[in-house]
Amino acid sequence: MARLRYRIEGRGPKVVLLNGIFQRLESWDPVLPHLEGYTVLRYDMRGQGESEAPEGFYTPEVHAQDLLGLLEELGWEDAALVGLSNGGIVALKAALLAPHRFRGLVLACTTPYLDPALRAKVESWLYALRAGGTPLRLRVALPWVFGAHFLNTHPDLLEEEGLASLMAQSPNEKAQERLLLGFLALQDLRPELPRLALPALVLYGEEDLLFPKPYAQALAEALRAELQALPTGHAASLEDPPAFARAVRQFLEVVHA
């Protein structure tokens, strides 16, 4: 298990927030005020934020083992998982490894498999990173990560100052490469998912170009889960925190009823 930076806040039923691939735990700041009444754990996965970035590829299974180790260390035996993008894949892997540890899953803007189209999108980030470092990787990734409405109402993100802010939050370039190569190692999880008996909610962004609706549909079908749309692009929790948190709360209230 890598050394992981984490925070625990609030009181009530336990919830773990799992970041997208290059995010820090601070990416959940806009959502946290809407989750009052829950004990919330958020953390930087290996290679992200201030957590350790050891050698090797950071595959979903490696991240899932880190999560299970952290929960063991904290004595958390009963939590719901809320995962965004790569965090949703990590939530799936953790639930497959230890289903008895979890109350339910919220899986947002994520996928249970890679197809050639999705692989090409993510590989373009890897090639951009190798060719031009973080600045070029960000330029290539931004229109895939944020929806058209969000970008049109936040054009500052495309200016140098906005890009500088995003660069400051990014992992170092070696860690970014390990994170991307780990993501690209994802195996098709769909054959395994029907054996999960956990309640689940699958969310997708109506403007998500990176993981559009068919990936969410495939995930919801494999899990026999509810499928719900959000008025966002891929970065749903940043683009519309109230809508994202509302969907999460409604699910958690049912799970903990």
Side-chain angles (χ1 to χ4, degrees):
M1 173 182 163
R3 292 191 302 273
L4 303 175
R5 170 195 179 221
Y6 67 89
R7 288 184 192 166
I8 298 174
E9 295 145 297
R11 297 181 64 181
K14 296 179 175 66
V15 179
V16 184
L17 304 179
L18 302 166
N19 305 339
I21 195 165
F22 296 133
Q23 293 180 323
R24 301 165 61 95
L25 62 81
E26 287 85 359
S27 66
W28 294 105
D29 283 351
V31 172
L32 211 64
H34 303 282
L35 294 180
E36 188 175 345
Y38 293 93
T39 302
V40 178
L41 166 65
R42 47 185 175 147
Y43 71 102
D44 296 335
M45 293 185 190
R46 69 166 62 202
Q48 299 174 209
E50 297 175 28
S51 288
E52 188 178 16
E55 296 290 331
F57 298 165
Y58 307 157
T59 66
E61 182 150 0
V62 167
H63 285 308
Q65 294 286 6
D66 282 345
L67 171 59
L68 293 173
L70 177 58
L71 295 176
E72 186 72 27
E73 198 172 278
L74 296 173
W76 280 35
E77 297 182 355
D78 183 19
L81 300 180
V82 178
L84 174 72
S85 189
N86 191 52
I89 298 169
V90 175
L92 286 170
K93 286 296 294 185
L96 287 167
L97 289 169
H100 59 283
R101 300 199 67 134
F102 304 111
R103 291 291 296 269
L105 306 172
V106 179
L107 307 163
C109 304
T110 192
T111 180
Y113 68 99
L114 285 179
D115 59 13
L118 181 50
R119 182 175 293 277
K121 294 173 193 176
V122 177
E123 284 181 344
S124 74
W125 299 9
L126 181 60
Y127 297 142
L129 177 70
R130 289 171 172 171
T134 303
L136 184 57
R137 196 270 301 165
L138 275 170
R139 284 286 188 189
V140 170
L142 272 179
W144 295 104
V145 171
F146 294 103
H149 176 76
F150 188 81
L151 284 177
N152 287 334
T153 53
H154 297 81
D156 51 298
L157 270 181
L158 304 172
E159 304 297 332
E160 290 306 318
E161 188 174 338
L163 287 170
S165 173
L166 293 172
M167 282 185 63
Q169 300 169 39
S170 295
N172 67 55
E173 289 175 7
K174 281 189 177 180
Q176 289 179 58
E177 183 164 353
R178 291 168 184 160
L179 286 160
L180 287 169
L181 289 170
F183 175 85
L184 289 166
L186 173 65
Q187 301 297 310
D188 191 345
L189 300 179
R190 286 173 293 179
E192 299 180 71
L193 295 180
R195 67 180 171 86
L196 274 181
L198 294 171
L201 169 66
V202 177
L203 302 173
Y204 70 94
E206 293 173 318
E207 293 190 349
D208 188 348
L209 299 179
L210 188 61
F211 296 172
K213 184 179 179 180
Y215 299 99
Q217 286 177 313
L219 179 55
E221 288 169 9
L223 290 170
R224 302 174 300 280
E226 179 186 352
L227 180 65
Q228 187 173 328
L230 294 172
T232 68
H234 186 67
S237 58
L238 292 173
E239 295 180 44
D240 195 336
F244 181 90
R246 212 165 28 244
V248 171
R249 283 195 73 99
Q250 288 171 356
F251 174 77
L252 293 177
E253 285 165 5
V254 172
V255 166
H256 291 288

mmCIF file of all heavy atoms in Angstrom, residues 22 24 47-49 51-54 58 129 133-134 137 167-180:
data_model
loop_
_atom_site.group_PDB
_atom_site.id
_atom_site.type_symbol
_atom_site.label_atom_id
_atom_site.label_comp_id
_atom_site.label_asym_id
_atom_site.label_seq_id
_atom_site.Cartn_x
_atom_site.Cartn_y
_atom_site.Cartn_z
ATOM 1 N N PHE A 22 -6.529 12.655 -12.442
ATOM 2 C CA PHE A 22 -5.472 13.608 -12.102
ATOM 3 C C PHE A 22 -5.875 14.541 -10.963
ATOM 4 O O PHE A 22 -5.227 15.553 -10.727
ATOM 5 C CB PHE A 22 -5.078 14.442 -13.332
ATOM 6 C CG PHE A 22 -4.471 13.626 -14.439
ATOM 7 C CD1 PHE A 22 -4.889 13.790 -15.744
ATOM 8 C CD2 PHE A 22 -3.484 12.687 -14.169
ATOM 9 C CE1 PHE A 22 -4.334 13.035 -16.771
ATOM 10 C CE2 PHE A 22 -2.925 11.929 -15.184
ATOM 11 C CZ PHE A 22 -3.352 12.108 -16.491
ATOM 12 N N ARG A 24 -6.903 16.007 -7.101
ATOM 13 C CA ARG A 24 -6.539 15.977 -5.695
ATOM 14 C C ARG A 24 -7.814 15.896 -4.867
ATOM 15 O O ARG A 24 -8.906 16.140 -5.380
ATOM 16 C CB ARG A 24 -5.774 17.253 -5.327
ATOM 17 C CG ARG A 24 -4.499 17.488 -6.118
ATOM 18 C CD ARG A 24 -4.013 18.914 -5.951
ATOM 19 N NE ARG A 24 -3.710 19.221 -4.568
ATOM 20 C CZ ARG A 24 -2.496 19.129 -4.021
ATOM 21 N NH1 ARG A 24 -1.471 18.739 -4.750
ATOM 22 N NH2 ARG A 24 -2.295 19.427 -2.753
ATOM 23 N N GLY A 47 0.114 8.560 -6.659
ATOM 24 C CA GLY A 47 0.472 9.341 -7.834
ATOM 25 C C GLY A 47 -0.271 10.653 -7.958
ATOM 26 O O GLY A 47 0.042 11.468 -8.831
ATOM 27 N N GLN A 48 -1.254 10.899 -7.108
ATOM 28 C CA GLN A 48 -2.060 12.119 -7.173
ATOM 29 C C GLN A 48 -1.818 12.976 -5.932
ATOM 30 O O GLN A 48 -1.550 12.453 -4.846
ATOM 31 C CB GLN A 48 -3.550 11.767 -7.275
ATOM 32 C CG GLN A 48 -3.896 10.965 -8.517
ATOM 33 C CD GLN A 48 -5.335 10.488 -8.563
ATOM 34 O OE1 GLN A 48 -5.630 9.457 -9.148
ATOM 35 N NE2 GLN A 48 -6.237 11.221 -7.948
ATOM 36 N N GLY A 49 -1.955 14.286 -6.104
ATOM 37 C CA GLY A 49 -1.846 15.197 -4.965
ATOM 38 C C GLY A 49 -0.560 14.995 -4.188
ATOM 39 O O GLY A 49 0.537 14.975 -4.747
ATOM 40 N N SER A 51 0.021 12.257 -2.196
ATOM 41 C CA SER A 51 0.269 10.862 -1.872
ATOM 42 C C SER A 51 1.540 10.367 -2.563
ATOM 43 O O SER A 51 2.060 10.999 -3.480
ATOM 44 C CB SER A 51 -0.922 9.990 -2.282
ATOM 45 O OG SER A 51 -2.019 10.214 -1.418
ATOM 46 N N GLU A 52 2.007 9.209 -2.105
ATOM 47 C CA GLU A 52 3.223 8.626 -2.649
ATOM 48 C C GLU A 52 3.034 8.249 -4.124
ATOM 49 O O GLU A 52 1.934 7.875 -4.536
ATOM 50 C CB GLU A 52 3.578 7.384 -1.832
ATOM 51 C CG GLU A 52 4.929 6.773 -2.149
ATOM 52 C CD GLU A 52 5.238 5.576 -1.263
ATOM 53 O OE1 GLU A 52 4.305 5.042 -0.621
ATOM 54 O OE2 GLU A 52 6.416 5.179 -1.223
ATOM 55 N N ALA A 53 4.116 8.360 -4.893
ATOM 56 C CA ALA A 53 4.081 8.019 -6.316
ATOM 57 C C ALA A 53 5.195 7.021 -6.616
ATOM 58 O O ALA A 53 6.212 7.360 -7.207
ATOM 59 C CB ALA A 53 4.232 9.267 -7.172
ATOM 60 N N PRO A 54 5.020 5.754 -6.195
ATOM 61 C CA PRO A 54 6.076 4.760 -6.388
ATOM 62 C C PRO A 54 6.186 4.325 -7.844
ATOM 63 O O PRO A 54 5.396 4.725 -8.704
ATOM 64 C CB PRO A 54 5.621 3.603 -5.495
ATOM 65 C CG PRO A 54 4.135 3.738 -5.443
ATOM 66 C CD PRO A 54 3.842 5.204 -5.522
ATOM 67 N N TYR A 58 -0.203 2.379 -12.249
ATOM 68 C CA TYR A 58 -1.234 2.494 -11.225
ATOM 69 C C TYR A 58 -2.555 2.002 -11.804
ATOM 70 O O TYR A 58 -3.417 2.770 -12.216
ATOM 71 C CB TYR A 58 -1.353 3.940 -10.747
ATOM 72 C CG TYR A 58 -0.034 4.557 -10.299
ATOM 73 C CD1 TYR A 58 0.141 5.933 -10.299
ATOM 74 C CD2 TYR A 58 1.031 3.769 -9.872
ATOM 75 C CE1 TYR A 58 1.333 6.503 -9.884
ATOM 76 C CE2 TYR A 58 2.231 4.328 -9.456
ATOM 77 C CZ TYR A 58 2.376 5.702 -9.475
ATOM 78 O OH TYR A 58 3.562 6.264 -9.062
ATOM 79 N N LEU A 129 1.208 14.203 -23.461
ATOM 80 C CA LEU A 129 2.074 14.342 -22.288
ATOM 81 C C LEU A 129 3.534 14.104 -22.670
ATOM 82 O O LEU A 129 4.429 14.853 -22.270
ATOM 83 C CB LEU A 129 1.632 13.349 -21.215
ATOM 84 C CG LEU A 129 2.460 13.297 -19.930
ATOM 85 C CD1 LEU A 129 2.259 14.564 -19.114
ATOM 86 C CD2 LEU A 129 2.077 12.073 -19.095
ATOM 87 N N GLY A 133 4.549 17.647 -22.470
ATOM 88 C CA GLY A 133 4.404 17.767 -21.029
ATOM 89 C C GLY A 133 2.982 18.098 -20.608
ATOM 90 O O GLY A 133 2.022 17.978 -21.389
ATOM 91 N N THR A 134 2.829 18.538 -19.362
ATOM 92 C CA THR A 134 1.507 18.822 -18.805
ATOM 93 C C THR A 134 0.741 19.892 -19.587
ATOM 94 O O THR A 134 -0.471 19.747 -19.792
ATOM 95 C CB THR A 134 1.630 19.222 -17.332
ATOM 96 O OG1 THR A 134 2.296 18.174 -16.620
ATOM 97 C CG2 THR A 134 0.267 19.455 -16.698
ATOM 98 N N ARG A 137 -0.790 18.231 -22.611
ATOM 99 C CA ARG A 137 -1.781 17.240 -22.168
ATOM 100 C C ARG A 137 -3.067 17.927 -21.734
ATOM 101 O O ARG A 137 -4.175 17.488 -22.077
ATOM 102 C CB ARG A 137 -1.196 16.397 -21.033
ATOM 103 C CG ARG A 137 -1.940 15.116 -20.730
ATOM 104 C CD ARG A 137 -3.031 15.274 -19.704
ATOM 105 N NE ARG A 137 -2.537 15.768 -18.450
ATOM 106 C CZ ARG A 137 -3.325 16.265 -17.499
ATOM 107 N NH1 ARG A 137 -4.635 16.353 -17.689
ATOM 108 N NH2 ARG A 137 -2.813 16.730 -16.368
ATOM 109 N N MET A 167 -2.590 23.261 -14.023
ATOM 110 C CA MET A 167 -1.255 22.668 -13.989
ATOM 111 C C MET A 167 -0.763 22.497 -12.564
ATOM 112 O O MET A 167 -0.138 21.496 -12.214
ATOM 113 C CB MET A 167 -0.268 23.526 -14.775
ATOM 114 C CG MET A 167 -0.357 23.353 -16.277
ATOM 115 S SD MET A 167 0.927 24.297 -17.131
ATOM 116 C CE MET A 167 2.412 23.511 -16.503
ATOM 117 N N ALA A 168 -1.071 23.478 -11.712
ATOM 118 C CA ALA A 168 -0.612 23.426 -10.319
ATOM 119 C C ALA A 168 -1.245 22.266 -9.565
ATOM 120 O O ALA A 168 -0.678 21.759 -8.593
ATOM 121 C CB ALA A 168 -0.929 24.745 -9.618
ATOM 122 N N GLN A 169 -2.433 21.831 -9.997
ATOM 123 C CA GLN A 169 -3.119 20.726 -9.331
ATOM 124 C C GLN A 169 -2.709 19.360 -9.887
ATOM 125 O O GLN A 169 -3.025 18.329 -9.302
ATOM 126 C CB GLN A 169 -4.633 20.889 -9.508
ATOM 127 C CG GLN A 169 -5.207 22.169 -8.923
ATOM 128 C CD GLN A 169 -6.638 22.401 -9.348
ATOM 129 O OE1 GLN A 169 -7.419 21.464 -9.428
ATOM 130 N NE2 GLN A 169 -6.989 23.637 -9.646
ATOM 131 N N SER A 170 -2.029 19.355 -11.033
ATOM 132 C CA SER A 170 -1.707 18.099 -11.707
ATOM 133 C C SER A 170 -0.552 17.380 -11.012
ATOM 134 O O SER A 170 0.342 18.010 -10.465
ATOM 135 C CB SER A 170 -1.324 18.367 -13.166
ATOM 136 O OG SER A 170 -2.415 18.875 -13.890
ATOM 137 N N PRO A 171 -0.540 16.050 -11.060
ATOM 138 C CA PRO A 171 0.617 15.304 -10.575
ATOM 139 C C PRO A 171 1.838 15.602 -11.443
ATOM 140 O O PRO A 171 1.712 16.194 -12.524
ATOM 141 C CB PRO A 171 0.186 13.841 -10.731
ATOM 142 C CG PRO A 171 -1.293 13.857 -10.945
ATOM 143 C CD PRO A 171 -1.604 15.178 -11.567
ATOM 144 N N ASN A 172 3.009 15.182 -10.994
ATOM 145 C CA ASN A 172 4.184 15.352 -11.847
ATOM 146 C C ASN A 172 4.044 14.451 -13.082
ATOM 147 O O ASN A 172 3.205 13.547 -13.127
ATOM 148 C CB ASN A 172 5.479 15.082 -11.077
ATOM 149 C CG ASN A 172 5.641 13.635 -10.653
ATOM 150 O OD1 ASN A 172 5.584 12.726 -11.470
ATOM 151 N ND2 ASN A 172 5.847 13.417 -9.363
ATOM 152 N N GLU A 173 4.869 14.702 -14.082
ATOM 153 C CA GLU A 173 4.662 14.048 -15.369
ATOM 154 C C GLU A 173 4.919 12.543 -15.322
ATOM 155 O O GLU A 173 4.250 11.774 -16.020
ATOM 156 C CB GLU A 173 5.492 14.756 -16.437
ATOM 157 C CG GLU A 173 4.898 16.139 -16.740
ATOM 158 C CD GLU A 173 5.713 16.974 -17.703
ATOM 159 O OE1 GLU A 173 6.695 16.445 -18.267
ATOM 160 O OE2 GLU A 173 5.357 18.158 -17.896
ATOM 161 N N LYS A 174 5.865 12.092 -14.502
ATOM 162 C CA LYS A 174 6.071 10.646 -14.354
ATOM 163 C C LYS A 174 4.830 9.988 -13.761
ATOM 164 O O LYS A 174 4.399 8.921 -14.208
ATOM 165 C CB LYS A 174 7.287 10.367 -13.472
ATOM 166 C CG LYS A 174 8.617 10.504 -14.180
ATOM 167 C CD LYS A 174 9.745 9.997 -13.313
ATOM 168 C CE LYS A 174 11.071 10.064 -14.060
ATOM 169 N NZ LYS A 174 12.203 9.575 -13.228
ATOM 170 N N ALA A 175 4.247 10.635 -12.744
ATOM 171 C CA ALA A 175 3.041 10.081 -12.120
ATOM 172 C C ALA A 175 1.880 10.088 -13.104
ATOM 173 O O ALA A 175 1.082 9.139 -13.153
ATOM 174 C CB ALA A 175 2.683 10.866 -10.865
ATOM 175 N N GLN A 176 1.758 11.159 -13.904
ATOM 176 C CA GLN A 176 0.678 11.195 -14.901
ATOM 177 C C GLN A 176 0.803 10.029 -15.874
ATOM 178 O O GLN A 176 -0.196 9.386 -16.230
ATOM 179 C CB GLN A 176 0.727 12.515 -15.675
ATOM 180 C CG GLN A 176 0.298 13.729 -14.862
ATOM 181 C CD GLN A 176 0.383 14.999 -15.676
ATOM 182 O OE1 GLN A 176 -0.239 15.117 -16.731
ATOM 183 N NE2 GLN A 176 1.146 15.970 -15.195
ATOM 184 N N GLU A 177 2.021 9.728 -16.311
ATOM 185 C CA GLU A 177 2.212 8.619 -17.243
ATOM 186 C C GLU A 177 1.834 7.293 -16.591
ATOM 187 O O GLU A 177 1.173 6.451 -17.200
ATOM 188 C CB GLU A 177 3.662 8.574 -17.731
ATOM 189 C CG GLU A 177 3.898 7.482 -18.751
ATOM 190 C CD GLU A 177 5.194 7.657 -19.524
ATOM 191 O OE1 GLU A 177 5.850 8.698 -19.368
ATOM 192 O OE2 GLU A 177 5.533 6.745 -20.301
ATOM 193 N N ARG A 178 2.233 7.106 -15.333
ATOM 194 C CA ARG A 178 1.899 5.860 -14.631
ATOM 195 C C ARG A 178 0.393 5.733 -14.433
ATOM 196 O O ARG A 178 -0.166 4.633 -14.513
ATOM 197 C CB ARG A 178 2.623 5.822 -13.288
ATOM 198 C CG ARG A 178 4.126 5.663 -13.414
ATOM 199 C CD ARG A 178 4.822 5.916 -12.099
ATOM 200 N NE ARG A 178 6.269 5.849 -12.255
ATOM 201 C CZ ARG A 178 7.139 6.380 -11.405
ATOM 202 N NH1 ARG A 178 6.699 7.036 -10.335
ATOM 203 N NH2 ARG A 178 8.428 6.261 -11.615
ATOM 204 N N LEU A 179 -0.277 6.857 -14.164
ATOM 205 C CA LEU A 179 -1.732 6.837 -14.002
ATOM 206 C C LEU A 179 -2.417 6.474 -15.319
ATOM 207 O O LEU A 179 -3.352 5.662 -15.344
ATOM 208 C CB LEU A 179 -2.217 8.199 -13.505
ATOM 209 C CG LEU A 179 -1.921 8.523 -12.036
ATOM 210 C CD1 LEU A 179 -1.993 10.030 -11.778
ATOM 211 C CD2 LEU A 179 -2.887 7.784 -11.116
ATOM 212 N N LEU A 180 -1.971 7.070 -16.418
ATOM 213 C CA LEU A 180 -2.586 6.788 -17.710
ATOM 214 C C LEU A 180 -2.336 5.349 -18.149
ATOM 215 O O LEU A 180 -3.256 4.668 -18.632
ATOM 216 C CB LEU A 180 -2.054 7.770 -18.763
ATOM 217 C CG LEU A 180 -2.568 9.207 -18.650
ATOM 218 C CD1 LEU A 180 -1.777 10.126 -19.565
ATOM 219 C CD2 LEU A 180 -4.050 9.287 -18.984
#
